[in-house]
Amino acid sequence: MPKRAIIIGAGPAGLTAALEFLRKTDVQPIVLEASQEIGGISRTIRYKGNRMDIGGHRFFSKSDRVMQWWMELMPPAETGDIAISYQGQQRVVEVPDDIHEEPPLRGLGPLTHEPEQEEPDEEPAEHTVVVEAPIAPESDDLVMLIRPRKSRIYYLRKFFDYPIKLTGNTIKNLGPVRMVKIGASYVMSRVRPIKEEKSLEDFLINRFGRELYLTFFKSYTEKVWGTPCDKISAEWGAQRIKGLSLTTALKHFVRKTFTRSKPKVEGAKDDVAQKGTDTSLIERFLYPKFGPGQLWEHVAEKVIAMGGEIHMGLKVEGIEATGNVVTSVEAVTESGERVSFSGDYFLSTMPMRDLVRAMRVDVPGNVREVAEGLEYRDFITVGVLANKLDVTESDRTLIKDTWIYIQEPDVLLGRLQIFNNWSPYMVADPSKVWIGLEYFCYETDALWKMPDEELKQFAAKELEKIGILHTAEVLDAHVVRVPKTYPAYFGSYDRFDELRTWTDGFENLFLVGRNGMHKYNNQDHSMLTAMAVVDGIAAGGVDKSTLWSINTEQEYHEEKSKKG
């Protein structure tokens, strides 16, 4: 009888593990999903022919393996001047050695950061990903589109580059009076720094000055994370804004302003990596034709076709163990029926707090205390269908942004997606504008509990208040609530090692994915954690320390090995 892997959760990590087991081992994966939807927070929401992407998922990774994995399943569409070259029956996609990602912890420092180092005399050597895949996709719909990327900040009812850069547009938007205040407060922070940095507020003021902190950091950080900056530890900022300061940004501005741009690498204009362009901005990215959930639904179909099982509507509430070996899990159906699944390996993507609650063993008091103290930030997206927006491009067409960070302190809105620009197939009627208003909150907040119809009106009025949309142009709306979207680094997180050490003690239990590891992983990081577990099992043993070192800063082991 083949060995079985019980996988809790049908999100990116769980489904990646399931497919990898089937491709590389004789282990049969059994996936248990509490909801009726595939893809976790990477699912695609459908509403009256329109589609919503929860949080926005660009398909771009520094991991060769992840890029290849995606494109084997959904090859890039062949549309004109795209970034794909062909070598026989292979697709070759070039990616840069180092790319800028959206900050893992959004709101903590919108200024772009580049390490202080001399500009290289030559462009870095090309880095290519060779994807073994048929030239033709499985169907015309199972393709990745190559989409232009544009993100901006909306503040003072004006658009700023994202991440913020010291450019002429930035200086013009802020105005001379504010710029003088920013400069003076920065000088003061250097002359009289806060001697003992006790909070994130102290940390940021020391590096940017009080005025810039108040302008671009305070309100947005608190909007995203729901915690005052003076209540967040300085160490938290130090871990996530390494080496970043206004001095660094100024040096970068001067260098870029007075240094002649180097010519592009020959042929680079047709490269999805854009070798000859500033790597702080990836201008194009891959995106499934019908949103991120399309890929994960395709993966689920393959898992079932290859002999795996996926059970929907089963919430795991009990985990049995003998000594340090997990033996089975008990799940509850939506009708209340209890079902038990035994296995040889157990992979969990469920929130760690829920995992500990489900463990039917003696849990040490300190471990339970840490688990119960973990905090999560919840998420609401309000999809709004409208005739038009008040903000447009200079030619009066729809703005080209994929998402816009709303840093206006007088609204709760955190970010705005324009689904038309992610993929034209996300909107049923291309003459309309289909947008997603994103709110960060807690399940205990009044916003979370607000009735749907009231929330739709509230969201539309916020857009009108900041000059983006007239409520009269709204045609329809849809509300989606997603609990525990963002694992937070507050609460008991400073004692997280106590919890990790205990869970790691179960030799056949492996925590993967964002909530499974309580790490703000991007989609590709979650996939890599699952791949690492399957690789280890196939090789005869999993190194859990390696698993935990796959982090939220895109520093993959494969990248380090290339440079080593």
Side-chain angles (χ1 to χ4, degrees):
M1 184 175 179
K3 291 186 176 181
R4 302 204 311 173
I6 308 302
I7 301 170
I8 304 172
L15 291 172
T16 297
L19 189 55
E20 289 291 285
F21 271 123
L22 291 165
R23 285 175 168 178
K24 298 188 173 185
T25 74
D26 294 327
V27 176
Q28 182 192 25
I30 311 294
V31 181
L32 310 179
E33 169 57 42
S35 73
Q36 294 293 343
E37 296 176 293
I38 291 290
I41 62 170
S42 295
R43 66 186 182 273
T44 298
I45 303 297
R46 294 169 175 82
Y47 178 71
K48 296 182 180 179
N50 300 300
R51 291 173 166 83
M52 299 168 65
D53 181 347
I54 304 300
H57 292 82
R58 290 189 303 138
F59 283 69
F60 207 103
S61 175
K62 284 177 66 177
S63 167
D64 294 359
R65 182 174 179 181
V66 169
M67 290 290 286
Q68 176 164 325
W69 204 90
W70 283 333
M71 286 182 290
E72 285 177 343
L73 291 163
M74 295 181 67
E78 298 178 42
T79 55
D81 187 23
I82 63 173
I84 307 299
S85 59
Y86 298 92
Q87 296 180 350
Q89 294 298 303
Q90 296 177 336
R91 291 176 180 270
V92 178
V93 179
E94 295 180 346
V95 300
D97 243 1
D98 189 26
I99 65 174
H100 174 80
E101 288 291 327
E102 305 294 339
L105 298 173
R106 299 183 183 97
L108 267 183
L111 287 170
T112 185
H113 167 48
E114 293 186 8
E116 294 188 61
Q117 56 186 14
E118 296 298 322
E119 292 284 345
D121 294 330
E122 299 179 357
E123 296 289 346
E126 290 189 349
H127 170 204
T128 63
V129 180
V130 179
V131 181
E132 301 284 350
I135 295 301
E138 292 184 34
S139 76
D140 291 340
D141 287 337
L142 283 172
V143 294
M144 290 278 193
L145 305 182
I146 294 181
R147 303 299 297 158
R149 169 201 180 273
K150 185 177 183 180
S151 299
R152 288 185 292 178
I153 289 170
Y154 192 69
Y155 177 62
L156 300 174
R157 293 356 184 215
K158 299 174 183 177
F159 286 103
F160 292 79
D161 292 331
Y162 182 88
I164 282 288
K165 293 182 282 290
L166 289 174
T167 63
N169 181 65
T170 301
I171 294 171
K172 177 183 175 182
N173 283 352
L174 290 174
V177 174
R178 187 175 274 107
M179 287 301 298
V180 169
K181 288 183 178 179
I182 288 172
S185 69
Y186 178 66
V187 170
M188 183 62 68
S189 74
R190 307 310 293 171
V191 174
R192 296 181 179 177
I194 299 170
K195 292 183 179 180
E196 186 179 357
E197 294 179 354
K198 295 181 179 179
S199 67
L200 178 63
E201 180 171 270
D202 297 340
F203 176 90
L204 292 171
I205 290 173
N206 274 353
R207 283 151 187 81
F208 299 100
R210 180 171 293 277
E211 189 67 26
L212 191 59
Y213 159 71
L214 293 174
T215 300
F216 277 120
F217 290 85
K218 179 178 170 60
S219 66
Y220 190 68
T221 301
E222 294 178 355
K223 183 187 295 186
V224 171
W225 292 103
T227 299
C229 288
D230 61 2
K231 302 299 181 184
I232 301 175
S233 72
E235 290 77 13
W236 193 62
Q239 292 170 6
R240 290 162 181 82
I241 316 179
K242 298 174 181 177
L244 181 59
S245 69
L246 187 56
T247 301
T248 304
L250 285 168
K251 287 181 179 179
H252 177 69
F253 171 61
V254 172
R255 185 169 63 242
K256 291 295 182 182
T257 302
F258 297 104
T259 302
R260 182 173 61 87
S261 298
K262 297 180 178 64
K264 287 184 177 182
V265 176
E266 184 178 354
K269 73 182 186 68
D270 296 333
D271 172 20
V272 73
Q274 301 139 86
K275 290 280 191 280
T277 65
D278 185 348
T279 56
S280 67
L281 181 65
I282 298 302
E283 296 175 350
R284 290 182 286 182
F285 60 92
L286 299 169
Y287 194 74
K289 184 175 180 177
F290 294 112
Q294 182 190 15
L295 180 136
W296 297 111
E297 290 162 13
H298 182 46
V299 172
E301 290 170 357
K302 284 191 170 294
V303 167
I304 293 171
M306 295 173 68
E309 297 179 12
I310 300 178
H311 300 273
M312 308 300 292
L314 280 179
K315 182 181 180 181
V316 172
E317 291 190 349
I319 300 175
E320 302 283 353
T322 301
N324 64 344
V325 176
V326 176
T327 55
S328 66
V329 302
E330 183 180 74
V332 181
T333 68
E334 293 174 346
S335 62
E337 180 185 357
R338 295 187 174 274
V339 187
S340 182
F341 295 86
S342 60
D344 302 279
Y345 309 104
F346 295 82
L347 285 72
S348 173
T349 71
M350 67 194 295
M352 292 185 75
R353 185 167 66 193
D354 296 342
L355 175 76
V356 172
R357 288 176 180 175
M359 295 294 292
R360 292 175 177 171
V361 298
D362 290 331
V363 180
N366 68 306
V367 171
R368 192 176 296 280
E369 184 178 333
V370 174
E372 290 298 322
L374 292 178
E375 296 186 18
Y376 302 84
R377 196 71 166 139
D378 307 304
F379 188 74
I380 300 173
T381 297
V382 181
V384 172
L385 186 69
N387 287 311
K388 64 178 182 178
L389 302 181
D390 287 351
V391 290
T392 65
E393 295 291 336
S394 58
D395 60 359
R396 308 303 296 171
T397 59
L398 177 66
I399 53 176
K400 294 181 171 59
D401 304 74
T402 45
W403 59 44
I404 299 168
Y405 292 87
I406 307 298
Q407 295 196 194
E408 303 288 17
D410 56 339
V411 293
L412 296 180
L413 177 61
R415 197 172 60 185
L416 177 67
Q417 286 196 73
I418 302 175
F419 296 122
N420 306 59
N421 295 335
W422 286 89
S423 166
Y425 300 96
M426 298 286 278
V427 57
D429 181 352
S431 69
K432 307 305 179 186
V433 183
W434 178 230
I435 57 179
L437 288 71
E438 300 179 351
Y439 292 90
F440 310 92
C441 61
Y442 293 112
E443 289 180 299
T444 54
D445 291 348
L447 187 69
W448 181 271
K449 298 176 181 178
M450 189 180 293
D452 283 4
E453 291 305 314
E454 188 178 337
L455 184 53
K456 292 173 188 177
Q457 295 177 24
F458 174 84
K461 288 178 180 177
E462 287 217 312
L463 283 182
E464 185 170 66
K465 182 177 183 179
I466 60 177
I468 287 181
L469 167 75
H470 274 95
T471 55
E473 299 295 340
V474 174
L475 301 171
D476 200 357
H478 182 61
V479 176
V480 178
R481 292 175 177 81
V482 185
K484 296 183 175 66
T485 306
Y486 301 111
Y489 294 80
F490 323 124
S492 61
Y493 186 77
D494 58 347
R495 296 173 54 197
F496 184 78
D497 284 349
E498 297 175 43
L499 174 57
R500 172 189 159 181
T501 299
W502 184 77
T503 57
D504 279 354
F506 293 91
E507 61 182 45
N508 63 339
L509 173 64
F510 307 98
L511 309 189
V512 294
R514 178 181 285 194
N515 275 335
M517 305 176 78
H518 202 85
K519 294 180 70 174
Y520 191 177
N521 288 335
N522 288 324
Q523 178 178 222
D524 54 343
H525 293 109
S526 294
M527 294 172 63
L528 285 168
T529 60
M531 291 175 178
V533 170
V534 177
D535 289 349
I537 289 173
V542 178
D543 181 351
K544 292 187 178 181
S545 64
T546 299
L547 183 66
W548 285 100
S549 68
I550 297 173
N551 59 42
T552 55
E553 295 177 348
Q554 291 278 20
E555 293 174 359
Y556 300 126
H557 290 287
E558 62 184 85
E559 296 297 328
K560 293 179 180 178
S561 65
K562 284 179 184 177
K563 298 172 184 176

